[in-house]
Amino acid sequence: MTQHLADALPTSTGTQPGWWREAVIYQVYPRSFADSNGDGMGDLEGIRSRLPYLKELGVDAVWLSPFYASPQADAGYDVADYRAIDPMFGTLHDADAVIREAHALDLRIIVDLVPNHCSDQHEWFKQALREGPGTPLRERFHFRPGRGAGGEEPPNDWESIFGGPAWTRVPDGEWYLHLFAPEQPDFNWEHPAVQDEFRSILRFWLDLGADGFRIDVAHGLVKAPGLPDLGRDEQLKLLGNQVLPFFDQDGVHEIYRSWRLVLDEYAGDRIGVAEAWTPSADRTAMYLRPDELHQAFNFHYLNTDWDAEALRGAIDDSLDSMRPVGAPTTWVLSNHDVVRHRTRFGSLERARAAALLMLALPGSAYVYQGEELGLPEVTDLPDEVRQDPSFFKANGQDGLRDGCRVPIPWSGEEAPYGFGTGGSWLPQPAEWAGLSVAAQTGDPASTLELYRAALRIRRAHPALGAGDGVEWLPAPEGVLAFRRGDFVCTANTTDVPVRLPAPGTALLSSTDLAEPDLLPADSTVWWQG
Ligand code: NOJ
């Protein structure tokens, strides 16, 4: 009945200019999406072949995590050549085919840009090492002499996010800065050649048809002058309320203003999305001023527990912060760096309810591959198969990141469940046979069909998608209720059913709604009312 009502709503509003204000953007992690050549590693041709699945799912755009030439010290976030595809993922021709076919399906493609650091195998870094201390090519990175009598101590006390000092010494005695792994030297963004090079890289991908960029470590490019010591025990934090000399420095905004000029040279609403871990939602909003980027990930929301009060606070705070700059709020529950939200929240019921709550909020939403299948984190990977260089130490990101990167199941009873014809680079659990796309398709109780229905309603319902506020309705403790025009969303975050007069006719429910005025435990319901 629920789906019947949804089908009666007007059909697609289409993707208009400003598409990104309400887009649902699906994150593909190329290693783990679909493998076309049986080598156990996902690739671009695999992605191309599955675009119709994404179209049918009902998303508007696809963000592809890095597929560039890379030694894979950090799963591709260590880029050796920003204009080349790693052979493990295919060729430039394959990338072109993905973009073209996506466009033919009216899907947009966002590519991942990694400007804070490159790979130690990048030509510039190799040249800098060859040319030696004091040479101009070293100035494109942060090379410094060490401290102490023989220069044996790192130039300052910063630590890498992956653990250990943020500096590595090279044989000639100098040290270079890397906020992440030693194989990921940080660029010196004061250097004009670095600035020019990245504007050129933007153009390269825009010319190829990319609809935008997800900007890795967007808050890290500019470091405080003189690279001052932190001078305290507390070290790197991706998220915190402290001001750090390597994150969220005001100078980054000049870079994004210059990038916006490049994006605006191109037709078709090309966008920049900041991965910016900042001390507050207000600081994040600064990246989204009208002459800077378009969206930023909402990590404050991602780090919020399944708790009505906390969620309402995060929702209000996010909407309030974006309003003054006129940017859409974004929402995200999972990505390739964090424990999957089904496992974080503790149950599939909560994961489904959280998804419906997120998709009802005003703005744009991100869906991480496999969450539409209700995949849990894989928590028992043997140490020998793990590939994550280390782990984030910050809030909500404790733990190794391979458990959310296991290749997703498409079909069949045995691993690799249609992921490819060979194996899979990380082993998939036996229970995933029942979670595959094929197993869930057509089953109205499945999580996949819940996402499909939600995205269909979201696309069709005039009250959903873009917007900058919600009207909160009175609700019992532990329950969230808000109105957007003639649409109402209720979310019961408690583990017991809660009585609440039905605010209208149910459109969709994350758990079976036996009685319209009894909200099931850990559920979200969408209402026409
Ligand atoms: C954020 C990316 O999402 C993560 O996977 C990566 O390790 C770091 N940035 C460094 O590039």
Side-chain angles (χ1 to χ4, degrees):
M1 181 195 75
T2 316
Q3 292 191 9
H4 176 77
L5 257 177
D7 289 339
L9 290 165
T11 51
S12 167
T13 48
T15 32
Q16 315 278 347
W19 61 275
W20 43 277
R21 292 189 171 275
E22 59 185 356
V24 175
I25 302 176
Y26 184 96
Q27 181 188 356
V28 164
Y29 194 64
R31 294 172 150 241
S32 307
F33 190 63
D35 168 21
S36 75
N37 61 2
D39 66 356
M41 185 62 75
D43 48 44
L44 287 166
E45 173 53 20
I47 296 169
R48 191 201 59 74
S49 71
R50 299 291 187 179
L51 288 172
Y53 165 77
L54 298 178
K55 180 67 186 173
E56 201 195 327
L57 179 60
V59 301
D60 302 289
V62 181
W63 149 33
L64 302 172
S65 280
F67 45 65
Y68 311 106
S70 160
Q72 305 287 321
D74 182 18
Y77 284 95
D78 48 320
V79 181
D81 184 344
Y82 291 85
R83 297 178 184 81
I85 307 296
D86 197 281
M88 97 176 14
F89 295 125
T91 63
L92 209 48
H93 178 79
D94 297 332
D96 183 55
V98 168
I99 295 173
R100 276 171 201 277
E101 287 201 30
H103 287 173
L105 292 168
D106 198 20
L107 290 170
R108 289 181 156 87
I109 296 288
I110 293 175
V111 298
D112 215 313
L113 187 70
V114 189
N116 179 67
H117 46 263
C118 57
S119 159
D120 61 354
Q121 298 307 305
H122 188 283
E123 208 44 53
W124 283 12
F125 191 72
K126 290 199 289 190
Q127 284 171 0
L129 284 188
R130 276 200 302 271
E131 306 234 338
T135 55
L137 287 176
R138 288 222 166 168
E139 287 164 20
R140 294 173 180 184
F141 299 91
H142 296 283
F143 277 92
R144 295 283 185 283
R147 292 202 282 208
E152 280 101 8
E153 298 294 321
N156 71 19
D157 67 356
W158 299 358
E159 280 184 6
S160 150
I161 286 166
F162 291 153
W167 296 89
T168 291
R169 199 173 194 193
V170 299
D172 58 43
E174 282 205 324
W175 297 73
Y176 68 89
L177 175 69
H178 51 87
L179 291 183
F180 293 86
E183 296 89 347
Q184 293 168 295
D186 279 44
F187 282 114
N188 171 15
W189 271 88
E190 303 286 319
H191 200 295
V194 173
Q195 298 168 11
D196 288 349
E197 173 66 354
F198 272 90
R199 280 190 295 260
S200 158
I201 293 165
L202 287 176
R203 287 202 171 86
F204 178 86
W205 289 100
L206 291 166
D207 288 340
L208 213 70
D211 298 287
F213 301 89
R214 176 265 187 193
I215 301 156
D216 190 65
V217 199
H219 57 308
L221 276 47
V222 172
K223 278 73 181 176
L227 310 182
D229 274 340
L230 271 174
R232 56 173 187 241
D233 290 341
E234 196 181 8
Q235 280 289 337
L236 287 182
K237 289 266 188 289
L238 278 182
L239 188 62
N241 53 12
Q242 69 277 62
V243 176
L244 298 167
F246 35 78
F247 281 160
D248 197 31
Q249 295 287 307
D250 288 338
V252 293
H253 297 289
E254 200 178 313
I255 297 170
Y256 300 126
R257 280 193 282 273
S258 89
W259 287 15
R260 181 58 179 262
L261 295 175
V262 176
L263 291 170
D264 286 351
E265 281 171 23
Y266 286 78
D269 240 353
R270 318 285 180 107
I271 68 166
V273 182
E275 187 220 18
W277 297 84
T278 69
S280 68
D282 292 336
R283 290 291 300 184
T284 302
M286 293 175 70
Y287 292 74
L288 308 179
R289 288 174 288 193
D291 59 348
E292 295 192 38
L293 301 173
H294 299 75
Q295 290 189 348
F297 292 108
N298 189 343
F299 293 123
H300 300 279
Y301 189 70
L302 185 148
N303 277 308
T304 305
D305 291 338
W306 180 242
D307 169 87
E309 203 183 325
L311 284 164
R312 181 169 168 164
I315 292 167
D316 279 340
D317 191 32
S318 306
L319 291 166
D320 290 348
S321 306
M322 295 303 141
R323 213 169 282 121
V325 293
T329 308
T330 66
W331 312 99
V332 59
L333 293 167
S334 286
N335 66 32
H336 66 294
D337 289 331
V338 300
V339 172
R340 283 187 176 274
H341 68 269
R342 168 172 170 179
T343 303
R344 267 193 354 257
F345 291 155
S347 72
L348 179 59
E349 286 69 29
R350 287 183 179 178
R352 290 164 57 102
L356 283 202
L357 174 61
M358 168 176 89
L359 293 170
L361 293 169
S364 175
Y366 281 79
V367 171
Y368 175 51
Q369 67 176 39
E371 76 170 70
E372 80 278 19
L373 304 175
L375 295 188
E377 181 83 357
V378 180
T379 51
D380 57 357
L381 286 171
D383 284 352
E384 59 276 14
V385 303
R386 291 185 178 275
Q387 297 202 10
D388 184 0
S390 187
F391 57 90
F392 284 151
K393 298 187 205 166
N395 239 348
Q397 296 209 4
D398 291 331
L400 298 164
R401 298 172 297 169
D402 291 308
C404 62
R405 299 176 176 180
V406 174
I408 64 170
W410 291 91
S411 60
E413 295 305 315
E414 277 171 25
Y417 307 115
F419 165 65
T421 51
S424 67
W425 68 280
L426 287 173
Q428 301 154 301
E431 313 79 71
W432 282 19
L435 293 175
S436 73
V437 171
Q440 297 197 37
T441 295
D443 173 0
S446 73
T447 302
L448 177 57
E449 294 299 349
L450 180 74
Y451 270 76
R452 285 180 173 152
L455 294 176
R456 194 162 58 236
I457 296 173
R458 180 185 158 103
R459 189 174 281 268
H461 202 300
L464 289 175
D468 69 355
V470 300
E471 178 194 341
W472 292 108
L473 304 174
E477 207 183 321
V479 175
L480 291 174
F482 63 84
R483 172 178 289 285
R484 299 183 63 195
D486 58 355
F487 171 92
V488 174
C489 177
T490 54
N492 176 7
T493 67
T494 74
D495 56 8
V496 291
V498 172
R499 228 164 250 291
L500 185 78
T505 315
L507 282 172
L508 190 63
S509 174
S510 65
T511 301
D512 228 12
L513 197 58
E515 297 173 46
D517 60 356
L518 191 64
L519 297 177
D522 291 320
S523 72
T524 298
V525 186
W526 287 7
W527 308 87
Q528 179 70 34

